[in-house]
Amino acid sequence: MTSGTTPETVEDPERALPDTKLRRSITGPLLFLFILGDVLGAGVYALMGVLSEKVGGALWAPLLGALLLALLTAGSYAELVTKYPKAGGAAVFAERAFGRPLLSFLVGFCMLAAGVTSAAGLALAFAGDYLRTFIDVPSVPAAIVFLLLIAALNARGISESVKSNVAMTVVELSGLLIVVVAGAVVLGGGHGDAGRLTQFPEGTTPALAILSGAIIAYYSFVGFETSANVAEEIRDPAKVYPSALFGALITAGVVYVLVGIAAAAVLAPDRLAGSTGPLLDVVAASGLGVPDRVFGAIALVAVANGALLTMIMASRLAFGMGEHGLLPAVLARVLPRRRTPWVAILSTTAVAILLTAIGKLSTLAETVVLLLLFVFISTNIAVLVLRRDTVAHTHFRVWTPVPVLGVASCVLLMCRQSAQVWLFAGALLAVGAVLFLLTRVRRGATGPTHPPEHR
């Protein structure tokens, strides 16, 4: 991936940026930690056991493959975010490129559905072996209670800051580094089995196993796309955004690969595959001396933080779509004192609870990936369509074959999805399409509505 500029440049790129009501106060290091915090943690804490079912001990291979695939689409985001630093993400890019309201809606709804589905999967991960280090309760009821608590926190209000995100990222990263150290101690003491790193399940073709595993591993890298929502608050986006985005993804990828190597060296694939708290089992088996409750608490913080941030995003996206007439206007209602979108919070939580009750972790994770693949295809194509649109400020320009390869990689991953995953994703999109059409009919009957003033 290479950076460049459009033909129209100016001496002071900051002066040529579109006006914004927000203060451009996010520096490169803070943006790097913001993206790293979004990407890092919850997925790999939850899915290492599921991944082991696909590739045996070669856990590092699909993680590395998923990183490379994620970097392709990240290149397209880097160009569009720096070209349109006031844009609000994939749905806005689709609107600029294609001018089709239904297509733009479906791109935005895919983001919404992916967020709710991801939260359902994280709730199941929270209620598994990590929670059982403290209390032994049935998984599904515990996951439902967890989602209700997340909803209560969400409705109470948001008082986050960049510092709190940094602190949470440090907690998540510390747990993964403990796993890496545990693997190094075991291998250094001659007790691990490095031979597992190239062992695949019997009867599988390694290339196909890696590709199937990459679908699962891809879930651990999603989250970088949400950084488009802070584009208006970044200092010198053309310079800061690409390096922070690629740096965060590569950092997460290196950590994930090391975690995969450590996990496979310490535990046999069948033991990993049967666990809902795989990294806890790795640390326990290593003899490193970290108490189960300490590591369990770290894992619970990582998963809970991921679920909370995801549900905040999903509820605000549902609120915004309701406010702008893309979804029923009732979703734009807010609590008078808290000024939080209570109907959107209840609606997204109800859907997450339903998915938690009927789905399993692997299926939910793959559904999230499939929904986001639609978004990423749209974004990769939008880069090429919008090349004819020039802007007056400098911006990152990705090498043209990268978005083409990005589309191809998304199609490849789609072709490996199971019928059940397509059914899950299709049902969610069908609900979205029906809501969109009903909303359009209602707006046509009552006339245009004015968005509420209060958020």
Side-chain angles (χ1 to χ4, degrees), residues 21-333:
K21 295 179 180 179
L22 304 177
R23 178 180 298 175
R24 294 191 180 276
S25 58
I26 299 180
T27 62
L30 290 178
L31 182 62
F32 169 82
L33 289 169
F34 176 88
I35 298 172
L36 185 63
D38 256 352
V39 173
L40 199 64
V44 75
Y45 276 101
L47 293 173
M48 197 61 74
V50 176
L51 192 59
S52 185
E53 295 178 2
K54 302 285 187 181
V55 295
L59 295 169
W60 59 272
L63 289 164
L64 181 59
L67 169 63
L68 297 177
L69 295 176
L71 285 171
L72 294 175
T73 296
S76 294
Y77 270 89
E79 176 164 336
L80 290 176
V81 169
T82 57
K83 189 174 184 179
Y84 306 109
K86 202 173 181 180
V92 176
F93 301 149
E95 183 180 0
R96 281 181 175 272
F98 312 120
R100 302 283 183 180
L102 179 58
L103 178 59
S104 301
F105 166 81
L106 287 176
V107 170
F109 192 81
C110 278
M111 292 287 294
L112 172 59
V116 174
T117 307
S118 179
L122 292 174
L124 287 175
F126 184 94
D129 287 345
Y130 294 126
L131 181 61
R132 291 193 188 102
T133 60
F134 297 93
I135 182 173
D136 189 4
V137 292
S139 294
V140 172
I144 292 173
V145 171
F146 170 73
L147 287 171
L148 291 174
L149 291 174
I150 290 292
L153 288 172
N154 196 353
R156 182 172 176 81
I158 305 172
S159 58
E160 296 173 310
S161 66
V162 175
K163 290 182 179 179
S164 67
N165 178 68
V166 171
M168 202 62 67
T169 301
V170 169
V171 172
E172 295 174 359
L173 182 58
S174 68
L176 299 178
L177 292 179
I178 288 173
V179 175
V180 174
V181 171
V185 168
V186 170
L187 286 173
H191 303 299
D193 186 355
R196 297 194 193 109
L197 301 179
T198 56
Q199 292 177 357
F200 291 85
E202 291 185 12
T204 61
T205 303
L208 293 179
I210 291 172
L211 184 57
S212 295
I215 296 173
I216 299 291
Y218 204 83
Y219 178 74
S220 297
F221 288 97
V222 298
F224 68 86
E225 70 281 353
T226 63
S227 59
N229 296 324
V230 298
E232 295 183 57
E233 299 168 83
I234 301 171
R235 294 179 186 174
D236 193 2
K239 179 180 178 181
V240 168
Y241 186 82
S243 57
L245 176 62
F246 298 136
L249 277 173
I250 292 171
T251 299
V254 170
V255 173
Y256 286 165
V257 168
L258 292 175
V259 168
I261 292 172
V266 173
L267 281 184
D270 58 338
R271 289 189 61 189
L272 282 171
S275 174
T276 57
L279 299 189
L280 175 65
D281 291 341
V282 170
V283 174
S286 70
L288 194 61
V290 177
D292 286 354
R293 290 199 167 195
V294 171
F295 190 83
I298 293 173
L300 289 176
V301 167
V303 175
N305 185 56
L308 177 59
L309 292 177
T310 298
M311 287 304 286
I312 287 173
M313 180 277 292
S315 61
R316 269 55 179 184
L317 182 54
F319 163 79
M321 295 176 80
E323 188 180 40
H324 291 92
L326 298 174
L327 285 175
V330 67
L331 291 169
R333 292 184 181 178

Side-chain angles (χ1 to χ4, degrees), residues 381-394:
I381 295 175
V383 168
L384 301 175
V385 172
L386 292 170
R387 281 283 168 86
R388 61 176 179 263
D389 181 27
T390 58
V391 295
H393 59 272
T394 59

Side-chain angles (χ1 to χ4, degrees), residues 354-373:
L354 176 63
L355 292 173
T356 297
I358 65 176
K360 63 178 184 177
L361 179 57
S362 60
T363 302
L364 294 173
E366 290 181 43
T367 302
V368 171
V369 171
L370 179 57
L371 290 166
L372 289 178
L373 288 175

